[in-house]
Amino acid sequence: MRRTLLALAAAVSAVPLALATAPAAHAADPTTLTNGFYVDPDSSAKRWVAANPGDGRAAAIGASIANTPTARWFGSWSGTIGTATGAYVGAADRVDKLPLLVAYNVYHRDYCGGHSAGGAASPAAYADWIAQFAGGIGNRPALVILEPDSLGDYGCMTQAQIDEREGMLSGALAQFSRQAPNTWVYMDAGNPRWADAATMARRLHEAGLRQAHGFSLNISNYIPTAENTAYGNAVNRELSSRYGYTKPFVVDTSRNGNGSDGQWCNPAGRRIGTPTRLGGGAEMLLWIKVPGESDGNCGVGQGSTAGQFLPEVAYKMIYGY
């Protein structure tokens, strides 16, 4: 049945361009083409547990973190990007699970914050990279979070740089629409404490949200689900009143079990949140950031680098201390 649906979806993607570029995202529902979410077999948590079976923290980290479906992030470290995304979604497809991928390579990434600075060498290089990213997925079902932080902070950017950023994101969405018809793409909308709902609705719309399936909230942050849900609904009210449409949204719940203390960079006393699932006040609650992976050289991750797995931080996050 699933293969029949994929064949039908492929046929739909071959309709004339005038129909294929309808304002609403036209991807088939990848949650119905699969049977549950994919657990990354090579996540940082999985690797640590496998390498440290005698560690007293391994059982808890394995049970509570390593076996929860969590996103895999792709960027310059991923090698040939189409090969990398193709291999990942292919592995998920073979076990009939839905993979979650994060595209994190936009030109001038984290331009204002700087903690995760980097990205593609130019807008043209990014356009090529994201085209290959989408092409690697192809017709297989997937969820993609498009460029965390990209619309959250324009404070240090000129209008020309903002226009350039929005053009890159809109171009990325066009590639997914053309090459990955069974992928739902979510544009990142930051978090409730970054920009007001009206501002974020405008930024999303100007960057091409109409082409996307939806938007994402709270990535790598700690803000409670209820606060994110209220914000997502407020963004949708602004989208509806200003532009005449709304979009589904997802919330990163990987580290928001104890809420936020106002700090975003490795704060102490945080806790894992609701595991990846459909519903929960949003379209989905997703683990997008791996609990225990450092935000950078700060807080309880002093001396670490962004993305480094810290087992003691992970262990304490399971219990909330």
Side-chain angles (χ1 to χ4, degrees):
M1 178 62 177
R2 178 170 167 279
R3 296 299 173 186
T4 302
L5 288 170
L6 284 172
L8 287 171
V12 170
S13 71
V15 299
L17 185 60
L19 296 178
T21 54
H26 59 275
D29 182 347
T31 68
T32 64
L33 297 177
T34 48
N35 182 27
F37 295 94
Y38 185 54
V39 175
D40 184 352
D42 193 39
S43 70
S44 56
K46 279 271 193 186
R47 289 197 303 272
W48 183 86
V49 169
N52 297 276
D55 191 294
R57 302 165 294 187
I61 292 173
S64 297
I65 295 177
N67 288 307
T68 298
T70 309
R72 179 180 287 190
W73 293 54
F74 293 83
S76 59
W77 57 86
S78 302
T80 303
I81 190 59
T83 301
T85 57
Y88 193 64
V89 298
D93 190 52
R94 284 191 291 275
V95 293
D96 201 26
K97 299 295 183 183
L98 179 60
L100 175 59
L101 300 82
V102 178
Y104 198 51
N105 196 43
V106 74
Y107 175 61
H108 278 165
R109 186 182 67 214
D110 197 20
Y111 187 63
C112 297
H115 280 267
S116 298
S122 66
Y126 181 70
D128 181 62
W129 186 87
I130 203 69
Q132 293 182 51
F133 187 116
I137 295 173
N139 287 335
R140 291 169 295 200
L143 305 176
V144 170
I145 307 297
L146 183 63
E147 300 300 340
D149 309 330
S150 58
L151 298 177
D153 186 3
Y154 283 176
C156 69
M157 298 172 71
T158 66
Q159 188 59 50
Q161 288 173 321
I162 292 169
D163 293 344
E164 182 179 71
R165 169 71 55 85
E166 292 174 348
M168 285 185 282
L169 296 175
S170 183
L173 292 169
Q175 290 292 342
F176 284 102
S177 292
R178 185 168 64 84
Q179 298 194 75
N182 299 311
T183 292
W184 278 356
V185 181
Y186 297 89
M187 302 188 76
D188 188 52
N191 64 67
R193 303 179 189 180
W194 214 345
D196 62 73
T199 297
M200 185 50 66
R202 184 183 74 251
R203 291 178 183 177
L204 286 164
H205 178 73
E206 291 177 349
L209 178 64
R210 197 182 286 269
Q211 300 179 77
H213 177 74
F215 58 94
S216 57
L217 298 171
N218 202 48
I219 293 180
S220 301
N221 218 303
Y222 304 85
I223 298 169
T225 302
E227 186 176 339
N228 279 285
T229 300
Y231 180 70
N233 290 334
V235 170
N236 268 328
R237 286 194 296 273
E238 294 290 340
L239 288 169
S240 177
S241 64
R242 290 166 178 251
Y243 310 113
Y245 67 93
T246 62
K247 289 290 184 176
F249 62 88
V250 297
V251 177
D252 184 355
T253 55
S254 59
R255 309 191 296 181
N256 73 350
N258 274 351
S260 172
D261 64 357
Q263 302 298 314
W264 66 268
C265 199
N266 295 324
R270 300 311 95 200
R271 190 169 193 160
I272 60 175
T274 303
T276 294
R277 56 161 289 191
L278 297 172
E283 183 170 49
M284 302 179 210
L285 305 180
L286 301 173
W287 279 22
I288 299 172
K289 173 76 170 182
V290 178
E293 282 193 356
S294 176
D295 296 320
N297 180 17
C298 52
V300 294
Q302 201 70 35
S304 67
T305 57
Q308 180 181 345
F309 186 73
L310 305 174
E312 185 64 13
V313 172
Y315 184 73
K316 288 180 177 178
M317 203 171 282
I318 293 169
Y319 301 103
Y321 59 82

